[in-house]
Amino acid sequence: MPRYLPEPAYRHGSPEKTAVLLINLGTPEEPTASAVRRYLKEFLSDPRVVEIPRPVWWLILNGIILRLRPRRSAEKYASIWTAEGSPLKVHVERQAKLLRGFLGQAGHQVVVDYAMRYGEPSMAATLSRLKAAGCTRILLLPLYPQYAASTTATAIDAACSWLQSVRNQPEIRSLRSFADHPGYIAALAASVREHWASSGPPGDSYRLIMSFHGLPRYTLDKGDPYHCECQKSGRLLAEALGLTAERYQICFQSRFGRAEWLQPYTAPTLRALGKQGVQRVDVICPGFPADCLETLEEIAIEGRAEFLHGGGKEFHYLPCLNERDDWIRALADIAETQLRGWPTQLAPDQAGLELSALRAKALGAPS
Ligand SMILES: C=CC1=C(C)c2cc3[nH]c(cc4nc(cc5[nH]c(cc1n2)c(C)c5CCC(=O)O)C(CCC(=O)O)=C4C)c(C)c3C=C
Ligand SMILES: [Fe+2]
Ligand SMILES: [Fe+2]
């Protein structure tokens, strides 16, 4: 027998609201080994993330990874931690706040919130809170421009498993990906152009490196569209910038484990470019809408060292879209497109409430 969360008695005509829920990966609560262990345990236990059969993976995870990795990763987190907390969380929180303002300008009265797939604020708690606040329509917006089963799909799974616990379910919509959204590509292109304007235009010995988070190679063979969506975003960005094929390169970072991942790998590519005598690289991470450990530490610190040790002269890391105005506008456009057909004004609902109160009065009974 399913067990449902406690539910208030249904009242006809109660206010109905629409919510937009931004979803990101999640991040440890503190840059300490124990907080990182808790985070990694939840993250890496997800069968969408690691597809190795369970008894074997359970032994590797608990016997090796969770003993060794948390301390090393915590040191890396400590190197990028801010006074306000983990950069990923700080940026997502601000993005939600800004999106609320932008959607408000567009005339929508929607509730905008954010949740993390792993850690806090959890998806289940946030969805329950939205429901308790009267949200009967919820748009799920995973903040992954390129679809992957290990990111987008697992975020939707988590929402679906929360739905299983709900008696009176809200209506749900979800965004699959936005790899070729014109506003997203234009915001990336504008950030590169602004960077060229302030750091000098690219010379003859130059590459723009577009570094995406990697995935195991088998995901491509098994039909995950992630690789293709990354190629598409990269090509559209290059086209927007007027870069020919020799002037940019798409590569994949953050390899985890010993299996083959999507190639070319970012770190060896940076080192090789330095060795080949390429003078300057600018690195952008279009797959990450918010700066995080993987961009601020792995690219801006370690990637820089790879290129310079290889013999390169000038390395620039371009920040993620974060709170850029053009990006938040693009996000608002993405949300509005998905919201189409849903009432996003409170007024009609309030009118409905008034009407049902009148009816209740007329009938002399609760509605
Ligand atoms: C952009 C999309 C991402 C994909 C695809 C992705 C797949 C993926 N990641 C791991 C393992 C780790 N990732 C870690 C951090 C991390 N990953 C993403 C995004 C994607 N991951 C982000 C935004 C972050 C940063 C989080 C932060 O707190 O700043 C980590 C943790 C850090 C570490 O110990 O190295 C791991 C582990 C796998 C296995 C995977 C797909 C199979
Ligand atoms: Fe990752
Ligand atoms: Fe592909």
Side-chain angles (χ1 to χ4, degrees):
M1 277 291 284
R3 283 175 162 253
Y4 301 117
L5 297 170
E7 182 96 38
Y10 177 70
R11 294 187 70 80
H12 180 73
S14 47
E16 295 191 354
K17 295 184 197 157
T18 297
V20 175
L21 182 63
L22 300 182
I23 306 169
N24 214 317
L25 184 85
T27 192
E29 286 297 311
E30 297 169 340
T32 60
S34 60
V36 173
R37 187 175 300 108
R38 266 198 312 280
Y39 163 70
L40 288 180
K41 191 174 174 74
E42 186 187 0
F43 180 14
L44 297 174
S45 298
D46 183 344
R48 286 279 204 185
V49 175
V50 179
E51 297 185 35
I52 296 170
R54 284 308 100 171
V56 177
W57 177 240
W58 192 91
L59 287 173
I60 299 172
L61 180 62
N62 289 286
I64 304 168
I65 293 169
L66 293 178
R67 283 175 201 265
L68 302 177
R69 196 169 181 105
R71 197 160 45 86
R72 260 188 299 142
S73 287
E75 281 168 17
K76 294 181 180 179
Y77 274 108
S79 73
I80 57 130
W81 213 257
T82 75
E84 292 167 88
S86 175
L88 184 71
K89 197 165 185 168
V90 171
H91 289 303
V92 177
E93 207 169 298
R94 289 187 195 151
Q95 287 170 343
K97 206 175 272 179
L98 290 168
L99 182 63
R100 205 170 293 142
F102 271 82
L103 285 176
Q105 278 170 34
H108 300 284
Q109 289 175 319
V110 297
V111 177
V112 180
D113 213 330
Y114 79 97
M116 297 300 201
R117 172 62 185 84
Y118 313 103
E120 302 295 330
S122 76
M123 288 192 56
T126 308
L127 286 164
S128 293
R129 188 156 40 72
L130 290 175
K131 181 173 153 50
C135 298
T136 55
R137 295 169 291 262
I138 302 176
L139 167 61
L140 307 171
L141 279 190
L143 287 170
Y144 308 108
Q146 295 77 24
Y147 175 98
S150 52
T151 53
T152 322
T154 187
I156 305 306
D157 287 350
C160 291
S161 82
W162 172 80
L163 279 175
Q164 288 186 332
S165 70
V166 173
R167 183 181 301 277
N168 187 6
Q169 293 181 336
E171 198 178 347
I172 297 282
R173 281 186 190 170
S174 60
L175 176 74
R176 187 177 184 282
S177 69
F178 53 93
D180 58 359
H181 186 274
Y184 157 67
I185 299 294
L188 290 170
S191 83
V192 178
R193 274 192 231 99
E194 284 163 24
H195 166 71
W196 286 345
S198 66
S199 312
D204 291 334
S205 185
Y206 171 86
R207 289 286 193 296
L208 178 67
I209 300 294
M210 304 175 190
S211 180
F212 292 86
H213 198 297
L215 277 188
R217 160 77 214 201
Y218 67 74
T219 60
L220 171 60
D221 304 325
K222 289 183 174 187
D224 198 302
Y226 179 77
H227 177 265
C228 297
E229 294 201 4
C230 293
Q231 301 295 327
K232 189 176 193 183
S233 299
R235 174 175 54 78
L236 290 173
L237 173 57
E239 280 172 16
L241 292 168
L243 284 176
T244 51
E246 325 75 66
R247 308 267 283 161
Y248 78 95
Q249 210 162 330
I250 294 169
C251 35
F252 296 92
Q253 62 178 83
S254 316
R255 184 175 171 211
F256 176 83
R258 271 181 263 160
E260 185 192 349
W261 275 40
L262 297 176
Q263 300 216 35
Y265 302 137
T266 301
T269 301
L270 287 170
R271 188 169 279 255
L273 287 172
K275 282 201 178 124
Q276 287 161 24
V278 170
Q279 298 287 301
R280 168 177 164 187
V281 295
D282 293 344
V283 185
I284 187 167
C285 300
F288 298 86
D291 270 304
C292 62
L293 184 73
E294 312 299 78
T295 60
L296 298 171
E297 199 280 333
E298 189 178 338
I299 300 299
I301 300 175
E302 289 182 31
R304 172 188 303 274
E306 291 286 349
F307 181 64
L308 298 180
H309 287 154
K313 296 284 172 282
E314 207 181 328
F315 177 100
H316 297 278
Y317 167 67
L318 279 73
C320 294
L321 295 173
N322 297 335
E323 291 85 36
R324 283 180 67 91
D325 203 65
D326 45 9
W327 155 237
I328 305 295
R329 265 177 220 282
L331 197 56
D333 182 65
I334 290 165
E336 277 170 34
T337 306
Q338 299 297 115
L339 288 171
R340 225 161 264 166
W342 265 0
T344 54
Q345 304 292 339
L346 288 178
D349 299 328
Q350 280 159 354
L353 184 68
E354 276 169 28
L355 216 87
S356 83
L358 281 174
R359 197 185 59 156
K361 220 171 165 184
L363 295 174
S367 62

